Amino acid sequence: MKTLLRIHDLYVAKVVTVMVMATWVVLVGLDALMAGVSEIGAVGQGDYTYFGALTYILQTLPRRAYVMFPTAAVIGSLMGLGQLAATSELIAMRAVGLSRTRLSVSVALPLLVLTAVMVLNGETLGPMAQRNADSMKSAARSSDMIVGRYSGLWAREGDTFLNAQNGTEISDGAGARVQLQDVRLFEFASDGRLESVAHAKTAEHGVDGWLLRNVQRTWFEPRAVTRTEALEEHWESQLDATTLAASASNICRPRYMPASELRAGIEYRHRNQLDASEFEEHYWGRWFYPLNVLALCL
C-alpha cells in the first residue's frame, strides 16, 4: 500500500508539474511578446536596433519567469487537478486510501522545488540579467551614457564626466523630476588635465538645469590643490533628462533587486532620512514569495 501511494504521489506531481510548466511558458511568452511590441517604439534611438531589442527581451526572461511563476503555479495546479478529476482518477485515488491531505502534499512537493529554483533565480540570475539588459539598452540609446553594475551611472557632456551611485524619479504636484544621489563630477581641461572633482550628496534636475546640494569640490591647479564647499551649486548641462531619468531608474529599481541590495537600500534611505517604503515592500515580498505561491495553490 505504501508503494502504491508513493506511485500515486509521483503521478499527481508529474501531471501538476507538466501543467504548471506549460502555463508558465505561455504566460512568459505573452509577457515577452507584449514587451517586445513596446520596445519597437524605442528602436532607432541612437544605436538601438531590432536585434538590440530582441537581445534586451531575451535577457529579461529570467526576471519575467520569476514574476509570472505564482500565477502559472495557481493556473497549472488547477488545470492539473481538473484533468485528473475529469478522468475520474482522483476518485480512484481516494478509493485506494489517498487522503485530501496527501493529495495536497503531492501537489505541494513539485511546487516547492520549482519555487526554490525561482527564489534562487530571483536572487542571482534574474537581477543580473535585467541589469545587463538595462545597461546594454542605455548604452545603445545614448553613446554618452552607461550604467555599470558596481560603478553606477556614468554620463558625459563635453569634458565633464558624471558618476552617480543611485538615482530615482520623484513625483509631486509639479510633475516628475530626476534626483541622483552620491554624485561626482570630473571636469577635464582641453589638454586632458583633470581640473576639478566635485562630490555632491544629491543632484536634482529642474527647469533651470541641475541643482547640486552639499557640494565639496577639489581644484587641481599647476602648483596647488584647493578645496571648496557649498550648500548648493547650479550646473548648466544639456544632458537629455528623459534618457537620464530612464538610466537613473535602472540603477535602483527595487522590484529588480536581490534581497541583499534591497536591505542595503533600506539602510541607506533610513540613514539619510529618505522614504524607504518601496524598498521595504519589495524586500518583504521576497521573503513571503514562497508562502504566497503555496498559499494560493493550496
Side-chain angles (χ1 to χ4, degrees):
M1 180 61 69
K2 290 183 179 180
T3 302
L4 186 62
L5 291 176
R6 185 165 63 249
I7 293 175
H8 288 173
D9 291 337
L10 294 175
Y11 181 68
V12 172
K14 177 184 177 182
V15 172
V16 170
T17 301
V18 170
M19 288 299 179
V20 168
M21 296 297 293
T23 306
W24 202 1
V25 170
V26 172
L27 291 178
V28 174
L30 289 175
D31 185 46
L33 179 62
M34 290 186 290
V37 172
S38 65
E39 284 299 312
I40 293 178
V43 171
Q45 298 180 8
D47 296 329
Y48 196 54
T49 62
Y50 286 103
F51 179 76
L54 177 61
T55 304
Y56 174 82
I57 295 299
L58 291 177
Q59 290 190 81
T60 62
L61 288 181
R63 189 265 303 171
R64 298 181 191 280
Y66 176 86
V67 173
M68 288 295 175
F69 176 69
T71 304
V74 174
I75 298 176
S77 298
L78 290 175
M79 291 178 63
L81 293 177
Q83 176 181 323
L84 294 175
T87 56
S88 300
E89 290 175 285
L90 284 182
I91 298 176
M93 294 178 190
R94 294 297 304 279
V96 297
L98 197 64
S99 66
R100 293 179 180 178
T101 302
R102 191 58 179 270
L103 279 173
S104 299
V105 172
S106 301
V107 173
L109 286 177
L111 293 179
L112 280 173
V113 175
L114 293 175
T115 302
V117 174
M118 280 299 98
V119 169
L120 181 62
N121 170 55
E123 295 299 311
T124 54
L125 180 60
M128 179 183 67
Q130 182 68 47
R131 187 178 283 110
N132 290 340
D134 291 332
S135 299
M136 179 274 297
K137 181 178 178 180
S138 297
R141 293 176 64 182
S142 176
S143 58
D144 293 331
M145 198 171 302
I146 191 170
V147 178
R149 178 176 182 182
Y150 299 106
S151 58
L153 169 69
W154 284 91
R156 176 185 178 183
E157 183 182 12
D159 294 326
T160 301
F161 292 81
L162 176 146
N163 172 241
Q165 293 301 311
N166 294 284
T168 186
E169 286 187 282
I170 301 175
S171 300
D172 52 24
R177 60 186 188 276
V178 182
Q179 186 184 81
L180 305 177
Q181 291 96 35
D182 197 6
V183 179
R184 287 174 174 80
L185 294 175
F186 302 87
E187 298 182 0
F188 291 84
S190 57
D191 59 358
R193 180 178 58 86
L194 180 62
E195 283 190 332
S196 69
V197 177
H199 177 255
K201 185 176 181 181
T202 62
E204 190 172 303
H205 184 269
V207 293
D208 298 327
W210 288 90
L211 178 62
L212 309 177
R213 291 189 172 91
N214 298 326
V215 184
Q216 296 178 347
R217 185 182 296 272
T218 303
W219 297 90
F220 300 94
E221 301 173 1
R223 295 180 178 275
V225 176
T226 59
R227 185 174 182 180
T228 60
E229 296 185 2
L231 293 178
E232 291 184 350
E233 276 190 17
H234 285 277
W235 178 42
E236 296 182 2
S237 171
Q238 300 301 318
L239 285 175
D240 183 6
T242 303
T243 305
L244 188 62
S247 300
S249 63
N250 290 340
I251 300 176
C252 59
R253 286 192 283 185
R255 58 178 175 169
Y256 299 159
M257 287 184 172
S260 57
E261 293 184 10
L262 287 171
R263 185 62 186 174
I266 293 172
E267 293 175 352
Y268 171 83
R269 278 154 180 76
H270 284 169
R271 287 197 308 269
N272 293 275
Q273 299 180 347
L274 300 173
D275 182 19
S277 58
E278 185 179 6
F279 280 73
E280 291 173 338
E281 175 186 350
H282 290 282
Y283 175 76
W284 291 111
R286 293 300 177 87
W287 286 102
F288 283 96
Y289 182 89
L291 296 179
N292 289 337
V293 174
L294 292 178
L296 287 172
C297 293
L298 295 178

